Amino acid sequence: VAFNPGMGEMLTFIRNKARSYSWHVHKKLEHPDENFARELMQLFTIGLVELNSDGTPILDRLGNAIKTYKSEDIVSFARSWTGFDVTYRRGNYEDINDPPHWNHLDPMEITSIAWRDWFPKRGLNSKFIGDRYPLCEDLPKRHFLRKNAKYRLLGGSSELKWQNNDANWDTIGAKRFTLNPATSSLYQRLCAPDENGACTYPSIVTLDENLNCDGAECNIDTIREVEIAPGVHVFYEYLRLPCVHLAFYEDAKKLSAGSNNEMNMCGNPKSQSGTEACCGLHNEVVEARFRNDDIADRPCEYLGERLTYWSNAERCYALGGFPCDVAGLEELSIGNQDCLSHTKWDNKWLQKNIWHWTTGSCDLDVLVDSNGLLAIVHKPHKTKPERNSAREPRTAAHVDKDNTINYFSVYWEKDGTGEEKYPMKDNNCGQNACTLIDNENCLCSVQVAETAVFTEMPTKKQVLSKLSIGAFPVEMFDTDVYDLVETGTDGVEAYQKISPEQSFHPSSIPISDCEFDFLGWNADLEKGTLSGWDGHDNPIYLYEPGYGNTGYAVMMNQTSGAITHDITSNANNCLVSGMTLSFSFKVKLLNFTDQSILIDCNPSSHSSCPEVRLQLQYGSNDRKQWKDVSVSNIYGISDWVPGEWNTFFGHWTIPNDWVPPYPMFRVDFLSGRTYSDGEVMMLIDDGIVLVSSGEPSQSPSVSTVPTVEAPSDSPSMTVSPSLVPTSTCFQSYPPDSNLISNSNFDSGLSSWKAWGDSTLSLYEPGY
C-alpha cells in the first residue's frame, strides 16, 4: 500500500525531496513532507501511546501514558520516504486521464537519487533503520558469484533498472563486462541452455551454489550488469544482497572527483565505493609531462566499475603502477579512454560525481547543533591542489563543514533526570572535548572502536537484543574463511574468521608467521654478491667483526653518499598497515688519523649530522620507484656526544598505501656532512623489529660495541658470523663457510654489502 501512487498522492509524499537536494540545487531550505510519516504511525500501525496486552495504556512512573513516537521520529521517517515517483507506463497500460507517461497502476519506485536522503535515519526504541542487516563491507569476495546472488534479465537494453546510471547509459558505446561462453560458469547459469544448446535466458536467476571465477571475473569486486557474450546484446543486471554502509568507519581514505582533482571527500577503504586510479602506467607514447607520480590512469574492467581501496591498489601493482595521491587523470596507457571519459564532478548535482580512490587520508568529524542533531563532516587531507590551479580542492557540499545542512537525530545517553547528554555551547562543547563553531555548534572528532559484546556464548534472545549488525550466510564464503567454534543450546552458532578473504590487506596476521630477509639492491654486483647494506659512492668499508651479533660500516673521506639497507618480506601478507617498524642504529663520527679529535654534530645544521631516510618501493620489479616517507620520530640526534657511540632510534608505522606483493623498504643513512681526510662515519645495526601496533618501549640494543682501528692497506679477512635475528620476525642468510678472502670477493658474505666503483674491503679488526 505504501508504494501505491494513490497513497503517495493522497498523503503527499510522492516526489518528496531531501533537504540536501532543495538546498544545494535550488538554495531553498525545505524539509521533506511529514504527512505520510506521521499517519503511518498514528493511523496505520502503532497509534499514539504504548499499550498493554489488554489494550490499556502503559504508564510511566508519574502515571502518564508513554508515547509511541516523538517529533524526531516523524522527521526521520519523512526522510525515509524521499525520492519516490510514479514509473513509466507499460505497453499494455490504458488510462486516458493521466499525463502521457505516468503509470498509476504499478508501484512507485525511487526514481531519483538526487531526491533521496542519503543520511542515517533512526527508528523507534533506540533502533536505526537498517539494523540487523549485514555491512556491505563484509560481502564475500566476488559476491556476484556466490550462493544467493541474483540477476534480472534486461533484454537487449543495458539500461539498469535498480541502479543509478547516466541518462544516456544505453546509447553510448560504453565498455561493458562481457562473459566468456566457453569457460564462464556464470554464463552457463544465465544462458540456461535447452536440450539443443540454445539459451533460454530466464527472467530471474538466483545462484544456488558458489561459482568459480573465470578470466576477468577474477579481477573485479562486483559487477553492475553483464553482457551475456561478445556480440550477443543480451544484458543481465546484478541485484546485490541488501546491506548497509556505516556513516563512520576506521582508516578513511580520500576520494577525488574530476579529472583535475576538483573535489574531495572520504571513503571507507573496505567498501566498493570508488573507481580505479593508478599512477605509473607509462609507456613510450605517453608525453613526458604526464610522467609524474601523481597523475593517474583509469584501468577499468568495465564502465562504472566500483572496487575497494585495496583492490584498486592490487590492480595498480599488477599492472606495473602504484596507487597514489592523485592530482589529475590522463590516459597513460593505451586502451583506457572509455574509463577516463566517465569522469565527472558537480558540487550542485551531487549524484553526478564519480569518485576515484587516492592514497590520501581523510578525517571524519561531526557537527552537533544545539538540539543534539548531528551532521557528518569530512575533512580530506588536501595535499594536492586542483591541477592547473593554485586552488584547494572543494569538499563535497553535503559533507562540508561550511555547507552541510544535513542534520539527523541520534540516541544520546541520558542523565539521571532523563535529559540527553551531548556537547553544546552551555557545557563548553562537552567540557572542551569538542570545538565551538560559529558560536553555536560543536565540532567533534570521531573515533570508531570495535569491542566484544559477549564474553560467553549468548542465547538467541541476547543476540537479538544486543547486536545490531547482521551477517551474510557462512556458505557464501570459501570453506577456509570461517570456522565453527561453538553451538549454543537454542541454535546460535559462533564462527571465527580464520583466514581473511581479502588477502591483499589482511586484518590480522600472526607476526610469528612472518619471515623477513635483509637483502641487497642487486644480487649480481660486479664485486660479488653481498646481501644487506649498500654503500653508495666511495670508498666504503663494511665490517663484519667476529663478535656478538653485529657488524658495522664505515664511510670514509666522503663528500656525499649513503649507506642503505633494503629489507623485503618473503610473505606477502606480513606487512600490514598499522604495524610499527622500529629500527635502532649506533653511529660515531671520528678521525682515524688522530682519534683524539672529537667530531661534533649540530642537529640544527643540515650539513653537520648524519641523516636517516626511509623509502618505500612502489611498482613492479621492472618499474621500481622509491619514494621518501616520513619517519614519525627519530631519537638520539639531539643528544649527540662527540667521540661516543650515539644511538639513533626511530619508529615508522606502515601506511595505508603500503600494499604487497612488493613489500620492500629501505633505510638510508646519509653522510649529512663533508668529511675531511681521515674522517669517517661508523654505523652499527642495532636491530629492526616489527611490532603489531604502537611503539616499542625501548630500542633494541647491541651487547658489545667494538673499539676502532684504522683500516690497513692490505687487510686480512676471516669468516665471521652473520647478523643474528633480533626477533622471531626477521632472519638473515647464514654466512658462506667457504668464503674466499680477497679484495674482489667472488663469493658472498651475508648481511652486509658495499656498492661503488672502488675496491671493496671487509675487515676483521681482531677484537
Side-chain angles (χ1 to χ4, degrees), residues 541-548 550-554 592 595 645 682-684 705-712 714-721 741 749 752 761-767:
Y541 299 95
L542 294 171
Y543 291 76
E544 179 117 5
Y547 75 91
T550 320
Y552 69 91
V554 173
F592 264 140
Q595 295 189 33
W645 288 101
M682 299 187 63
L683 177 68
I684 286 180
V705 177
T707 57
V708 179
E709 297 182 13
S712 61
S714 301
S716 61
M717 182 68 193
T718 59
V719 177
S720 59
S741 176
L749 180 67
W752 297 94
S761 299
L762 288 165
Y763 294 88
E764 177 94 19
Y767 46 77

Side-chain angles (χ1 to χ4, degrees), residues 73 76-77 121-129 411:
D73 300 317
S76 182
F77 284 11
K121 303 165 184 69
R122 83 177 201 179
L124 301 175
N125 301 321
S126 299
K127 304 296 183 182
F128 280 83
I129 297 175
Y411 291 100

Side-chain angles (χ1 to χ4, degrees), residues 412-669:
W412 294 96
E413 293 182 355
K414 295 183 179 180
D415 59 21
T417 66
E419 293 295 322
E420 291 185 327
K421 299 185 299 182
Y422 55 86
M424 64 178 76
K425 180 180 179 181
D426 291 345
N427 61 22
N428 294 322
C429 286
Q431 308 306 321
N432 298 316
C434 305
T435 304
L436 186 65
I437 301 294
D438 299 329
N439 201 35
E440 180 179 5
N441 300 330
C442 295
L443 181 66
C444 309
S445 60
V446 174
Q447 291 183 333
V448 179
E450 293 187 7
T451 57
V453 179
F454 304 110
T455 57
E456 58 184 12
M457 193 66 178
T459 64
K460 182 177 181 180
K461 182 178 180 180
Q462 289 173 326
V463 169
L464 294 177
S465 64
K466 294 288 187 180
L467 302 184
S468 299
I469 298 176
F472 293 102
V474 175
E475 58 266 23
M476 291 181 62
F477 297 82
D478 291 335
T479 55
D480 61 348
V481 174
Y482 285 100
D483 187 24
L484 179 63
V485 294
E486 190 171 349
T487 301
T489 57
D490 55 356
V492 176
E493 294 179 332
Y495 288 85
Q496 182 179 16
K497 202 166 191 177
I498 56 177
S499 69
E501 268 218 322
Q502 300 291 342
S503 59
F504 211 65
H505 181 60
S507 58
S508 176
I509 295 291
I511 296 184
S512 60
D513 293 344
C514 301
E515 292 182 350
F516 289 82
D517 297 324
F518 292 65
L519 299 180
W521 172 252
N522 192 325
D524 190 25
L525 291 177
E526 180 181 353
K527 294 182 174 64
T529 302
L530 301 171
S531 69
W533 288 93
D534 295 324
H536 292 273
D537 297 332
N538 55 79
I540 306 287
Y541 299 95
L542 294 171
Y543 291 76
E544 179 117 5
Y547 75 91
N549 63 355
T550 320
Y552 69 91
V554 173
M555 279 200 300
M556 197 170 186
N557 303 330
Q558 291 277 25
T559 56
S560 64
I563 301 178
T564 73
H565 203 333
D566 296 344
I567 304 170
T568 188
S569 166
N570 55 20
N572 285 346
N573 295 334
C574 236
L575 296 179
V576 179
S577 81
M579 285 186 176
T580 299
L581 194 74
S582 171
F583 47 91
S584 179
F585 303 90
K586 281 184 169 59
V587 181
K588 178 187 281 192
L589 297 177
L590 74 159
N591 190 304
F592 264 140
T593 305
D594 184 354
Q595 295 189 33
S596 66
I597 300 176
L598 302 182
I599 303 176
D600 202 356
C601 165
N602 180 3
S604 63
S605 173
H606 178 75
S607 61
S608 175
C609 297
E611 300 175 28
V612 181
R613 180 177 65 187
L614 193 66
Q615 294 183 311
L616 299 185
Q617 179 188 319
Y618 289 78
S620 60
N621 287 326
D622 59 342
R623 291 173 180 249
K624 282 179 183 156
Q625 296 193 32
W626 290 98
K627 297 175 68 175
D628 291 350
V629 297
S630 115
V631 180
S632 57
N633 293 296
I634 293 291
Y635 305 101
I637 187 69
S638 60
D639 302 320
W640 185 271
V641 179
E644 301 294 334
W645 288 101
N646 295 272
T647 298
F648 283 60
F649 173 40
H651 298 306
W652 171 63
T653 300
I654 298 174
N656 298 327
D657 58 345
W658 174 274
V659 187
Y662 309 109
M664 181 175 285
F665 52 93
R666 167 192 288 176
V667 182
D668 283 359
F669 264 87

Side-chain angles (χ1 to χ4, degrees), residues 84-103:
F84 287 89
D85 200 357
V86 295
T87 61
Y88 286 107
R89 291 182 178 179
R90 293 185 273 112
N92 60 348
Y93 184 91
E94 295 181 6
D95 192 333
I96 62 174
N97 297 319
D98 283 342
H101 301 294
W102 285 15
N103 179 352

Side-chain angles (χ1 to χ4, degrees), residues 108 243 326 464:
M108 293 185 297
C243 57
V326 181
L464 294 177

Side-chain angles (χ1 to χ4, degrees), residues 330-342:
E330 295 288 349
E331 187 178 14
L332 303 180
S333 56
I334 302 303
N336 294 329
Q337 187 56 48
D338 267 358
C339 310
L340 282 168
S341 66
H342 198 230

Side-chain angles (χ1 to χ4, degrees), residues 212-229:
N212 293 325
C213 63
D214 172 68
E217 297 170 12
C218 303
N219 301 332
I220 60 177
D221 283 350
T222 187
I223 54 178
R224 298 162 68 81
E225 65 180 3
V226 292
E227 186 177 26
I228 194 71

